[in-house]
């Protein structure tokens, strides 16, 4: 019984994470998480391009010239 208790204490984070992942898969929450991640990445890229227009234009121009 003491060994089980040590195991649960040592790996409780992994066990909790696994249970949350299992519940998320059962409820199809992974689709929502993927959509939210795509939206967040789009926001970050848009903000970066807005603040670094000239640098992005130069990099895109040099990339297109290489093709």
């Amino acid at each position: 019984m003491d060994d089980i208790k040590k195991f649960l204490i040592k790996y409780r984070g992994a066990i909790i994470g696994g249970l949350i992942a299992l519940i998320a898969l059962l409820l199809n929450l992974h689709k929502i998480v993927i959509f939210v991640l795509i939206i967040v990445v789009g926001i970050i890229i848009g903000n970066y391009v807005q603040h670094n227009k000239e640098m992005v234009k130069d990099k895109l121009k040099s990339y297109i010239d290489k093709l």
Side-chain angles (χ1 to χ4, degrees):
M1 193 63 157
D2 193 38
D3 292 335
I4 295 173
K5 190 175 184 181
K6 285 181 184 179
F7 176 80
L8 291 176
I9 290 171
K10 186 174 181 181
Y11 296 108
R12 68 177 167 233
I15 293 169
I16 292 171
L19 290 174
I20 290 172
L22 181 64
I23 291 170
L25 285 174
L26 290 175
L27 297 176
N28 286 328
L29 293 177
H30 62 283
K31 294 177 185 176
I32 295 170
V33 171
I34 291 171
F35 287 129
V36 169
L37 286 175
I38 291 171
I39 291 169
V40 168
V41 168
I43 290 170
I44 291 170
I45 291 172
N47 187 36
Y48 177 80
V49 170
Q50 181 182 3
H51 290 291
N52 300 305
K53 283 183 200 173
E54 293 301 319
M55 187 173 62
V56 172
K57 280 172 54 176
D58 292 337
K59 286 185 179 182
L60 280 175
K61 188 175 181 181
S62 68
Y63 180 72
I64 290 172
D65 288 341
K66 287 180 184 178
L67 293 176

